[in-house]
Every structure is written in structure tokens, then in C-alpha cells.
């Protein structure tokens, strides 16, 4: 049953409600009112009236209203009959059923809309004998039909009980029927009325109800009713099953929607709504090229962000992480331009000299062009400050049309600076590598790792170990950043490291680098660099770009030799800046300027010369030798001074010497003692004289084996009293067997000697190959002595 347990059908288009009479026996058997042979007929479209049933019906058709009015004025009896087809608006005689129910109009109510509502009660079934009138409404001769009376029929009683049970089941599983309906059914005692009441409210077709009305035998009517109720029960159960399943799905959706709306309302009440931010992020992400793993993590993060309120502490953490993912150029690459002719022009324009270095870089680029990938050694430029290591990396980026980014590693102590911090820490950030990639907006830039030898390590970790993954071509395609929490492909990045001292680079890291040595500049090179690069740059920087200022090579050489002591050109750049500042002041004051710079102008502007080479050129007393040293700022000249005094043969060393240098002095002393007779030295002197070895500039730490032959020569000079040649310097390691071994930094040392006016240099024969790599123009006028033994050194050095 549906809601028609109390809502039945319609005469026109209005609903009606079956009512239970106060006395269920108030039917045809107890009513003494005679029923005439002719009655007006009221066709019903949507229901069948059964005897004993009370129905409210709204009458809408003109014919029906006229019939009801006339019947109400007369004896209040009317024949209610069903239409065969409920869709027919104006029924004809053929559209009416033959069997109907005589009804008494209990009440007639005029409605505000002009319609009429009547309350009728079924009395007796009748059969239409003949239609006597069709206008203004149907009238018919009728014959009343009597009910068959059953006496003590157990089967019938069982049927009635089954009808009550079925009706109760239908009521219990029908969601639209009140539970009170089951109580009413149980309290109906008259079997005939029970059958009629249930039939009237059955949710069956009109034709089925008409069949129930037509049957004379009450037992047969009950049997048909039971069949219809069984069908109704099965239909209701199936409908409930489908409805409940659908409702469960709808309930879940409605619940989620309701909770979402509540959450939205709470967010708005608290004063924040991040829906717009999340939508904007998702819109940016739509056209982004990135790996599937990154996309999935971003979507999860966005969903999490949407559920969070902007005022919560974790909101900014999640937001910043998503913002980083959006900013990173995951699969965005710039197009490489491996035009080697253009690359050579760029390198020549940006840097003077360095022919061997440029050739090596061009070879490197040629391999990249042919191979098309980055699986090649990482270049590392090693050399003193100010010679252009960093700017060389910038030139490479320019030459192959890549973006350039520089990462300064000087003083880095924390491993998290490379790998990033965990997101959960306050102030967490990605590592410098990922930050640089984010800033440059390209996944294949030229990345300069500046000052890689200045990386430190302490309790916060070892950053140089973190760099191992970055700089290993076999690993860096899946570099893991702690903040990003994803692997990032660095294999397309062209890494170039710079350093001053190769010995300070961790061995495992050094193994991943291809070392390219950049030695210092000769004076001639510095002059050209000053003319081509430094002077034009400083003129423009000081507002003298369009003013004629010329400086001869001799004037530039004076600035280089008298005011600088370096392998690079950084200090030279500063001295030229000082000159240009003074010239700018002169021009601003007098509005004119001398076109040519003279040596006198240089001294007036920069003051008296800071350095003098004369002190290096001579060593007029015995026991003083000139050595060549290498420092991280380039080559340098140092004195070894020996003094003898009466004593017991003690050896004292001063000048902030390192262990290796002290050992060189001890080795030289022992060799001289062993070979004293060969060298015409009195052996007793080693027992009667105290030896003091001093290296000036005691505040500067000194170490290494290079000063071995210098110390040995100075000691021999002191013991023999023979002076060492003027304008002579030397470098080399010694052994107890009297051999001279090769040392490093030859180019730096030779150029330092040339700057200082040294004319002759003694070194190991194995270092000859290093001298041959130096441009002959830079060492013109310098004589080289290549030796194998310490005896050869003394033969050349002592006069």
C-alpha cells in the first residue's frame, strides 16, 4: 500500500480520503431507507466505492455537480459508478461500468474555488439495467445486488485472519503509512466491512478493484483480495529494498554536502576562506609539466590545504610546500646552443689569455654536443683569487645559451643548507640547490658552486658529503631534498666548481671533479687585461666613459709592480678604481682632464710605491737565500736566514714554520753534517755552533717541502762563509741521499720570481715540463737551472 490507506482516489483531479463510519455495521443490512429503482449516476475516474466505506470526494464536472445537487435536495441517494477509462473527460454510456454502489450523501460543502466536496457512504451494490437519461446528467434504472451470507465457514474465517495479517505487514513496511493503521485493522470485526475497507485502500489497479466489487460471493471476493494483497506485499518489499539502497547513497551524499557547508560556514565565521587560494593553485598546476609523483603529492597537499583554516600553524607549512612545487621548473629546459665558434668568441671576449683552459672548455662542450647528455665529469677550476674562475663559468653559460646561477659555499657548515630542512621544523627551507633552481626557472642551468674548498663541517653535519650526491652524474638524476620530500632530476644541470686550494676539498668529493688549474697572470697579461677590461669598466663606473683617458703600458706596469702583489687582478682593479675616482674629482672640479696618465700622476694619486723589488734582488751576506713559495693567492718570494753562534750545536727555527718545513730544515742540516768534509766544512762546527733558522714575516704560517734546497743552500752558505749569487731564487724538495725532488705550483712561483726581478732560478729537472707550459714571452730573460742533486745546487748557488 502507498499513502492511499487514508488517501484514496479522485472523482476529477482532487484527492479523497476513505473514512471509517462510527458504527461499522452501518451498512445496507441495518439501513431501512428504501432505494428507488431509478437513481442519478456519479461517474468516478480514479476509484471504486465499496459498501460501508465513507469517502470525501471533490466534484468538478458540471454534470456531476448538477447530479449531486439534485440528489442532495431529494433523498440524498446517488449511484456511484467507475469509469472504464479514467483519462476520458466527458464519459459516454459506453465508458461506464455495469456494477456500482448506491451511496448516501452525508454532507455537501461548497469550496471557495467553485468546486463541491461531498462526503458519501456506500450502501449497496447495484447493476445498471438501463440508462434512462444522459442530460443534464446520467440517470439509470438499477437493480440492487444482495450479498451472499456465509454461516460458520472456517475457511472464510481463516481468510479474514490472513487478510488482517497481510494488511498489518504491508502497513509495517510502508514508510508512508502510520502505524495506527494496523491497530484500526485489528479492531474491525465485521468481515464484510474489513474486506471492503481493505479493497478500497488497496494500491491496485482500478480494474482489479472493480473485479472485487463485481464478485457476488464474499468468499471468492476475499480470495481475490488475498491474491492482490500478496502481490502488493511483494511489490512493497521490492520497492523498499530499492528505495533504501538509493536513500543510503543519497543520505551519504547529503551528509557530506551538509558537513562541507557547515565547515564552510565555520571558516567564514572565523574570518578566513582559503577556497580561492586553493583554486588558484590548482589552476596553475593544470598546465604544468611535472612527474606523476609530484602531481599526486601536489593534489593530496591541495586537498589537505582546503580542509585547513588559514589561522592554523600547519597551514603556512603546507601552503609554502605547494608553492615551492609550483615554482620549480620540473621538466622545463632551455634549448642549448653548442656553436663552438661562437663559444670561442665569447670566451676570448670575456677573458684574456688562458688559451689552454679555453681549449679544455671547448673540448668539454664538444663532447656535450655529440653525446647530448651530462654524464661527464664535473669541471672544477682551481686557482688563486681574482683570476676569473667564477666569471669563466658565467662565460660558459653565455656561450651555450643557458641560464646562469651561482651558489656560494664559502663558510657553509650545515648539511641542511644543501639537502634542505624537514618541513616540520620552524623556518624550514629547501636546500640551496633547489632554491637556486627555483629562482632561475630552468632545470638545466649552468650552476657555479663557488668556493667549494671553503665548506666546513661540525656537529650539524658535513655539507661536502651532501655534495657527493649532487655532483655524481650517476646519482644526481634523483637528488632528494628533505624539504621537497621528492626526488629532483639534476642530471641536466651543468655544474662548475671553483676553489683556491685543492688540498682542502674532501677526497671523495675531489674524486668526482675534473680539476682544471688556473694559474696566475704574468705582468704582460695583466697589462692587456687592464687595457681591454679593467680600465674601460672603471671609466664607465666613475662617469668617465666618454672622456679620453689613456695609460701607457709602462704606467700600467708601474701600478702592477709597485702597488700590487697578487696572482690575479682584483687588487689591480681596486688601484685602477682609486685612480679613476681621483680623475673623476678633477674633471668634476675643473671640467677638463689631461688625456694621458703619467707615472707622476700615479704616485700623486696612489702615494709612494708599496712594494720594492730591490730587497729581493740581492743577498749580500752569507747565510741568506731566496726561496720560491706557493700560497693560495699565488706565488711569492721568501727569505731563509741562517745565523751561527757559539754553543753546543743546537738547532732553533722561527718564523711560524709548519712540521714539513721544520723536517726539511732538519734533513738539510743532517745532510750537511754527513757531507761536511766534501763541502770543506769543519765537522767540529756542528758541535760548537748553535744554528738559528728564521723565515721573515713570522705572522704568516709557512709549510711544505719546497724550501728544502733553499734551507740547505743557506745553511751551507752560513757554514762555509760563501755568499749566494744575487738575483737567484730556488725551489725543490731534498732527501737525505742528496737528491732534489720536484714540487708543485711552478708557474705561480716562476711568475712571482719574474715580478720580483729574479734572473736565475734553480729547480728539479723533473719540473722542466711545467716551465715549458709557460708562455716564453712571460719568462723572457730568466735563466733556469735544472738539477738532480743537492751538490749541483751548491755548485750553482755559492759564489
Amino acid at each position: 500500500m502507498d499513502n492511499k490507506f487514508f488517501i484514496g482516489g479522485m472523482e476529477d483531479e482532487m484527492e479523497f480520503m476513505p473514512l471509517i463510519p462510527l458504527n461499522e455495521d452501518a451498512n445496507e443490512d441495518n439501513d431501512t431507507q428504501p432505494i428507488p429503482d431509478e437513481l442519478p449516476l456519479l461517474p468516478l475516474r480514479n476509484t471504486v466505492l465499496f459498501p460501508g466505506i465513507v469517502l470525501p470526494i471533490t466534484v468538478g464536472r458540471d454534470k456531476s455537480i448538477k447530479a449531486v445537487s439534485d440528489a442532495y435536495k431529494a433523498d440524498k441517494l446517488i449511484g456511484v459508478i467507475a469509469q472504464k477509462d479514467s483519462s476520458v473527460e466527458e464519459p459516454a454510456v459506453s465508458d461506464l461500468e455495469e456494477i456500482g454502489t448506491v451511496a448516501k450523501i452525508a454532507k455537501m460543502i461548497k469550496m471557495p474555488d467553485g468546486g463541491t466536496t461531498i462526503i458519501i457512504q456506500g450502501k449497496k451494490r447495484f447493476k445498471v439495467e438501463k440508462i434512462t437519461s444522459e442530460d443534464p446528467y446520467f440517470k439509470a434504472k438499477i437493480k440492487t445486488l444482495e450479498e451472499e451470507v456465509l454461516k460458520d465457514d472456517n475457511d472464510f474465517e481463516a481468510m479474514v485472519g490472513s487478510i488482517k495479517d497481510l494488511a498489518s505487514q504491508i502497513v509495517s513496511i510502508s514508510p508512508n503509512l502510520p502505524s495506527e493503521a494496523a491497530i484500526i485493522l485489528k479492531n474491525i470485526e465485521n468481515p464484510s466491512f474489513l474486506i471492503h475497507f481493505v479493497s478500497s485502500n488497496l494500491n491496485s489497479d482500478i480494474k482489479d478493484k472493480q473485479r472485487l466489487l463485481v464478485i457476488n460471493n464474499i468468499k471468492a471476493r476475499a480470495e481475490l483480495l488475498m491474491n492482490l494483497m500478496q502481490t502488493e506485499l511483494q511489490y512493497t518489499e521490492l520497492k523498499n529494498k530499492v528505495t533504501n539502497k538509493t536513500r543510503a547513497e543519497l543520505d551519504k551524499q547529503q551528509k557530506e554536502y551538509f558537513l562541507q557547508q557547515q565547515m564552510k560556514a565555520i571558516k567564514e565565521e572565523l574570518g578566513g576562506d582559503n577556497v580561492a587560494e586553493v583554486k588558484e593553485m590548482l589552476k596553475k598546476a593544470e598546465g604544468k609539466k611535472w612527474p606523476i609523483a609530484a602531481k599526486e603529492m601536489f593534489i593530496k597537499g591541495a586537498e589537505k590545504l582546503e580542509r585547513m583554516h588559514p589561522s592554523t600553524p600547519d597551514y603556512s607549512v603546507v601552503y609554502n610546500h605547494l608553492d615551492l612545487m609550483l615554482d620549480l621548473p620540473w621538466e622545463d629546459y632551455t634549448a642549448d646552443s653548442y656553436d663552438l665558434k661562437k663559444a670561442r668568441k665569447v670566451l676570448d671576449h670575456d677573458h684574456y689569455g688562458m688559451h689552454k683552459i679555453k681549449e679544455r672548455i671547448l673540448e668539454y662542450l664538444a663532447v656535450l654536443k655529440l653525446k647530448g647528455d651530462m654524464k661527464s665529469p664535473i669541471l672544477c677550476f682551481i686557482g688563486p683569487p681574482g683570476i676569473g674562475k667564477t666569471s669563466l663559468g658565467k662565460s660558459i653559460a653565455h656561450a651555450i645559451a643557458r641560464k646562469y646561477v651561482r651558489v656560494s659555499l664559502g663558510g657553509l657548515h650545515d648539511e641542511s643548507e644543501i639537502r634542505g630542512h624537514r618541513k616540520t621544523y620552524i623556518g624550514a627551507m629547501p636546500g640551496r640547490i633547489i632554491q637556486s633552481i627555483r629562482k632561475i626557472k630552468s632545470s638545466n642551468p649552468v650552476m657555479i658552486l663557488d668556493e667549494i674548498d671553503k665548506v666546513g663541517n661540525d656537529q650539524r653535519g658535513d655539507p661536502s658529503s651532501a655534495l657527493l650526491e649532487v655532483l655524481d652524474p650517476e646519482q644526481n638524476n634523483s637528488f632528494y631534498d628533505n624539504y621537497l620530500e621528492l626526488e629532483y632530476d639534476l642530471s641536466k644541470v651543468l655544474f662548475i666548481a671553483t676553489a683556491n686550494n685543492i688540498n682542502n676539498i674532501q677526497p671523495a668529493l675531489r674524486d668526482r671533479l675534473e680539476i682544471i688549474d688556473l694559474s696566475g697572470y704574468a705582468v704582460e697579461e695583466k697589462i692587456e687585461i687592464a687595457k681591454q677590461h679593467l680600465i674601460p669598466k672603471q671609466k664607465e663606473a666613475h662617469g668617465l666613459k666618454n672622456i679620453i683617458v689613456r695609460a701607457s703600458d709602462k704606467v700600467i706596469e708601474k701600478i702592477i709592480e709597485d702597488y700590487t702583489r697578487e696572482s690575479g687582478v682584483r687588487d689591480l682593479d681596486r688601484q685602477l678604481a682609486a685612480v679613476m675616482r681621483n680623475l673623476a674629482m678633477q674633471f668634476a672640479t675643473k671640467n677638463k682632464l689631461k688625456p694621458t696618465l703619467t707615472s707622476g700622476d700615479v704616485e700623486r694619486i696612489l702615494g709612494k710605491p708599496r712594494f720594492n723589488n730591490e730587497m729581493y734582488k740581492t743577498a749580500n751576506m752569507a747565510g741568506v737565500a731566496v726561496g720560491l713559495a706557493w700560497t693560495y693567492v699565488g706565488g711569492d718570494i721568501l727569505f731563509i736566514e741562517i745565523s751561527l753562534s757559539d754553543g753546543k750545536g743546537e738547532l732553533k727555527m722561527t718564523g711560524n714554520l709548519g712540521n714539513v718545513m721544520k723536517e726539511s730544515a732538519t734533513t738539510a742540516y743532517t745532510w750537511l753534517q754527513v757531507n761536511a768534509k766534501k763541502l770543506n766544512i769543519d765537522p767540529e762546527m756542528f758541535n760548537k755552533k748553535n744554528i738559528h733558522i728564521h723565515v721573515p714575516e713570522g705572522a704568516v704560517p709557512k709549510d711544505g717541502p719546497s724550501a728544502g734546497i733553499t734551507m740547505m743552500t743557506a745553511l751551507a752558505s752560513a757554514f762555509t762563509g760563501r755568499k749566494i749569487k744575487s738575483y737567484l731564487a730556488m725551489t725543490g724538495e731534498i732527501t737525505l741521499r742528496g737528491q732534489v725532488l720536484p714540487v708543485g705550483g711552478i708557474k705561480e712561483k716562476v711568475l712571482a720570481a719574474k715580478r720580483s726581478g729574479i734572473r736565475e732560478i734553480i729547480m728539479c729537472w723533473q719540473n722542466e715540463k711545467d716551465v715549458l707550459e709557460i708562455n716564453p714571452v712571460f719568462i723572457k730573460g730568466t735563466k733556469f737551472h735544472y738539477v738532480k742533486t743537492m751538490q749541483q745546487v751548491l755548485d750553482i748557488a755559492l759564489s
Side-chain angles (χ1 to χ4, degrees):
M1 288 182 185
D2 202 20
N3 56 354
K4 292 183 181 174
F5 206 95
F6 291 101
I7 305 274
M10 298 170 64
E11 185 273 342
D12 195 14
E13 294 295 338
M14 302 294 290
E15 295 179 342
F16 67 88
M17 181 182 294
L19 302 174
I20 299 173
L22 295 175
N23 178 8
E24 63 188 52
D25 291 329
N27 53 29
E28 65 273 15
D29 297 328
N30 298 320
D31 197 338
T32 56
Q33 184 178 0
I35 297 173
D37 294 338
E38 188 179 31
L39 280 177
L41 296 182
L42 176 63
L44 293 184
R45 298 172 65 186
N46 296 312
T47 194
V48 175
L49 179 65
F50 288 87
I53 301 302
V54 177
L55 283 179
I57 295 175
T58 298
V59 184
R61 291 185 283 212
D62 292 340
K63 279 187 174 183
S64 299
I65 292 171
K66 179 70 174 167
V68 168
S69 297
D70 288 354
Y72 191 70
K73 290 174 185 175
D75 54 8
K76 299 185 178 179
L77 294 177
I78 193 168
V80 177
I81 196 161
Q83 289 183 200
K84 293 177 180 177
D85 185 356
S86 61
S87 64
V88 176
E89 286 290 337
E90 296 293 337
V93 174
S94 59
D95 293 320
L96 303 178
E97 296 283 357
E98 288 188 350
I99 307 296
T101 304
V102 177
K104 184 174 183 180
I105 302 172
K107 188 79 174 173
M108 187 170 75
I109 305 165
K110 295 286 186 183
M111 305 302 291
D113 61 356
T116 301
T117 297
I118 57 173
I119 296 174
I120 55 175
Q121 183 177 8
K123 292 295 182 182
K124 270 190 177 181
R125 296 181 306 119
F126 72 86
K127 183 179 180 182
V128 176
E129 295 282 334
K130 182 183 177 183
I131 299 295
T132 58
S133 174
E134 294 184 30
D135 193 39
Y137 46 80
F138 291 110
K139 275 188 178 181
K141 275 195 170 185
I142 67 165
K143 176 185 176 183
T144 57
L145 302 173
E146 298 295 332
E147 298 285 345
E148 293 184 13
V149 180
L150 296 174
K151 296 287 186 179
D152 301 323
D153 190 330
N154 292 330
D155 289 345
F156 180 68
E157 288 176 5
M159 285 182 179
V160 171
S162 295
I163 289 170
K164 284 188 177 182
D165 291 341
L166 286 167
S168 297
Q169 288 180 47
I170 292 171
V171 169
S172 66
I173 66 173
S174 295
N176 298 319
L177 293 179
S179 58
E180 291 82 354
I183 299 170
I184 293 170
L185 283 166
K186 286 180 180 178
N187 289 315
I188 296 175
E189 295 178 356
N190 187 320
S192 179
F193 178 73
L194 174 68
I195 292 168
H196 292 157
F197 184 77
V198 172
S199 298
S200 181
N201 288 282
L202 192 64
N203 191 23
S204 294
D205 191 77
I206 299 297
K207 290 181 179 179
D208 291 330
K209 289 187 177 183
Q210 185 65 28
R211 282 169 58 203
L212 285 168
L213 187 65
V214 169
I215 295 172
N216 282 326
N217 188 298
I218 191 75
K219 188 176 179 180
R221 197 181 303 163
E223 191 174 349
L224 177 60
L225 177 60
M226 283 177 63
N227 289 335
L228 293 173
M229 289 179 76
Q230 286 284 2
T231 304
E232 177 65 20
L233 179 62
Q234 290 175 16
Y235 170 75
T236 306
E237 285 175 343
L238 180 61
K239 182 180 175 184
N240 279 348
K241 185 178 178 182
V242 174
T243 303
N244 289 337
K245 185 178 179 182
T246 310
R247 181 176 294 159
E249 292 176 358
L250 286 172
D251 285 349
K252 185 182 176 185
Q253 292 175 2
Q254 288 171 346
K255 181 182 177 184
E256 289 176 356
Y257 175 76
F258 177 68
L259 289 173
Q260 289 288 352
Q261 292 302 309
Q262 276 189 323
M263 188 181 289
K264 189 176 179 182
I266 290 167
K267 284 179 182 176
E268 288 176 355
E269 191 67 27
L270 288 172
D273 188 3
N274 59 338
V275 175
E277 282 184 336
V278 176
K279 280 185 179 176
E280 188 178 345
M281 280 187 155
L282 290 170
K283 188 176 180 181
K284 282 184 185 177
E286 283 176 6
K288 193 158 184 69
K289 294 188 291 183
W290 49 7
I292 295 172
K295 187 175 183 180
E296 288 175 353
M297 179 179 272
F298 179 83
I299 291 169
K300 284 180 184 176
E303 289 172 355
K304 184 178 179 182
L305 191 70
E306 202 169 14
R307 295 192 297 269
M308 298 170 75
H309 190 270
S311 62
T312 56
D314 285 345
Y315 181 85
S316 61
V317 174
V318 178
Y319 181 88
N320 290 337
H321 185 250
L322 296 178
D323 193 43
L324 169 68
M325 292 181 72
L326 277 178
D327 278 354
L328 283 173
W330 292 90
E331 294 176 357
D332 289 336
Y333 305 104
T334 54
D336 291 336
S337 171
Y338 291 118
D339 185 344
L340 298 185
K341 289 182 180 178
K342 178 193 169 189
R344 187 185 292 277
K345 284 182 182 177
V346 170
L347 291 172
D348 286 340
H349 177 267
D350 293 348
H351 295 84
Y352 178 80
M354 296 187 178
H355 301 297
K356 190 172 181 182
I357 309 301
K358 290 175 184 175
E359 285 300 318
R360 176 65 191 88
I361 291 169
L362 289 170
E363 288 169 6
Y364 182 78
L365 297 180
V367 172
L368 292 183
K369 179 180 181 180
L370 295 174
K371 280 187 71 182
D373 63 24
M374 292 293 125
K375 293 290 178 66
S376 53
I378 309 296
L379 296 182
C380 179
F381 297 145
I382 300 273
I387 61 168
K389 297 184 297 296
T390 306
S391 62
L392 200 56
K394 198 169 186 177
S395 294
I396 292 172
H398 181 205
I400 60 174
R402 284 200 185 189
K403 292 186 177 180
Y404 163 84
V405 63
R406 175 179 165 272
V407 180
S408 178
L409 301 177
L412 204 67
H413 283 268
D414 194 344
E415 183 184 342
S416 299
E417 292 284 342
I418 302 294
R419 287 194 184 280
H421 308 78
R422 298 279 178 195
K423 295 204 298 277
T424 49
Y425 293 117
I426 294 171
M429 293 187 301
R432 292 197 186 186
I433 303 295
I434 294 296
Q435 284 185 48
S436 300
I437 295 285
R438 178 187 193 177
K439 179 177 73 176
I440 207 66
K441 301 289 185 191
S442 169
S443 284
N444 65 336
V446 173
M447 186 175 287
I448 305 296
L449 301 175
D450 219 4
E451 310 291 357
I452 201 168
D453 58 329
K454 309 294 191 306
V455 174
N457 63 317
D458 55 20
Q459 73 279 359
R460 289 167 291 183
D462 183 4
S464 59
S465 298
L467 284 169
L468 296 177
E469 184 185 1
V470 175
L471 296 179
D472 192 334
E474 300 299 327
Q475 298 178 37
N476 63 12
N477 61 336
S478 56
F479 172 69
Y480 186 85
D481 186 275
N482 291 328
Y483 183 88
L484 183 60
E485 293 183 345
L486 279 171
E487 292 180 345
Y488 197 91
D489 185 3
L490 298 178
S491 62
K492 302 291 190 296
V493 178
L494 177 53
F495 288 104
I496 297 176
T498 72
N500 297 131
N501 189 354
I502 190 172
N503 297 319
N504 292 341
I505 302 175
Q506 187 193 24
L509 185 57
R510 191 166 64 226
D511 185 55
R512 285 165 168 77
L513 305 174
E514 177 155 341
I515 306 299
I516 296 181
D517 286 308
L518 276 72
S519 53
Y521 296 115
V523 173
E524 290 82 357
E525 287 179 303
K526 289 183 181 180
I527 292 170
E528 289 301 321
I529 291 169
K531 283 159 55 177
Q532 293 181 23
H533 298 283
L534 303 183
I535 291 175
K537 181 182 82 172
Q538 293 300 342
K539 278 180 66 179
E540 185 173 357
H542 293 86
L544 300 172
K545 184 177 181 181
N546 298 320
I547 309 300
I548 298 173
V549 177
R550 288 190 292 266
S552 65
D553 291 0
K554 198 168 185 67
V555 171
I556 297 172
E557 186 177 352
K558 178 178 177 63
I559 296 173
I560 293 168
E561 292 190 341
D562 291 355
Y563 296 93
T564 67
R565 272 289 181 272
E566 60 176 348
S567 291
V569 291
R570 198 166 282 153
D571 197 20
L572 174 60
D573 196 30
R574 281 192 285 267
Q575 299 303 328
L576 290 171
V579 172
M580 293 304 162
R581 275 197 305 274
N582 188 276
L583 295 178
M585 185 183 72
Q586 288 181 39
F587 185 77
T589 306
K590 301 175 183 178
N591 205 26
K592 62 179 182 177
L593 204 60
K594 285 197 305 180
T596 306
L597 197 64
T598 64
S599 298
D601 294 330
V602 171
E603 282 202 25
R604 179 177 53 79
I605 296 169
L606 299 179
K608 290 292 182 185
R610 292 165 53 191
F611 303 102
N612 192 334
N613 289 339
E614 294 301 318
M615 62 181 292
Y616 298 112
K617 294 176 182 176
T618 58
N620 292 324
M621 58 184 290
V624 178
V626 179
L628 298 177
W630 182 91
T631 67
Y632 79 94
V633 295
D636 204 355
I637 298 293
L638 56 81
F639 281 118
I640 306 290
E641 299 178 349
I642 309 291
S643 177
L644 302 181
S645 60
D646 294 335
K648 298 179 180 179
E650 294 177 0
L651 182 63
K652 185 196 295 185
M653 287 174 273
T654 55
N656 200 356
L657 307 183
N659 289 333
V660 175
M661 205 163 182
K662 287 178 181 178
E663 289 167 1
S664 294
T666 306
T667 303
Y669 178 78
T670 302
W671 184 82
L672 286 171
Q673 192 174 12
V674 170
N675 296 280
K677 289 183 178 180
K678 290 183 183 177
L679 301 173
N680 296 321
I681 300 172
D682 184 2
E684 289 298 316
M685 289 182 72
F686 292 96
N687 299 321
K688 296 177 181 178
K689 297 287 183 181
N690 289 337
I691 299 96
H692 184 175
I693 301 176
H694 177 67
V695 183
E697 296 186 63
V700 180
K702 307 169 192 72
D703 202 4
S706 298
I709 64 170
T710 315
M711 284 187 169
M712 184 272 296
T713 305
L715 279 169
S717 173
F719 279 119
T720 59
R722 294 164 65 187
K723 293 180 182 178
I724 297 171
K725 271 187 187 179
S726 298
Y727 311 111
L728 174 72
M730 58 194 77
T731 183
E733 186 179 352
I734 60 173
T735 71
L736 282 174
R737 292 173 295 164
Q739 290 182 317
V740 179
L741 301 182
V743 291
I746 293 299
K747 183 179 179 183
E748 301 292 338
K749 292 174 181 178
V750 170
L751 293 178
K754 186 77 167 74
R755 284 196 299 267
S756 302
I758 299 294
R759 296 173 188 170
E760 297 181 62
I761 299 173
I762 300 173
M763 65 179 67
C764 177
W765 64 278
Q766 288 176 284
N767 284 128
E768 185 177 2
K769 66 180 186 303
D770 301 306
V771 175
L772 294 175
E773 291 181 1
I774 304 171
N775 190 332
V777 176
F778 303 156
I779 53 176
K780 187 178 180 182
T782 305
K783 185 177 182 182
F784 292 92
H785 300 278
Y786 301 109
V787 298
K788 292 185 178 180
T789 65
M790 290 153 70
Q791 184 64 55
Q792 288 176 305
V793 175
L794 295 178
D795 292 342
I796 296 166
L798 298 180
S799 56

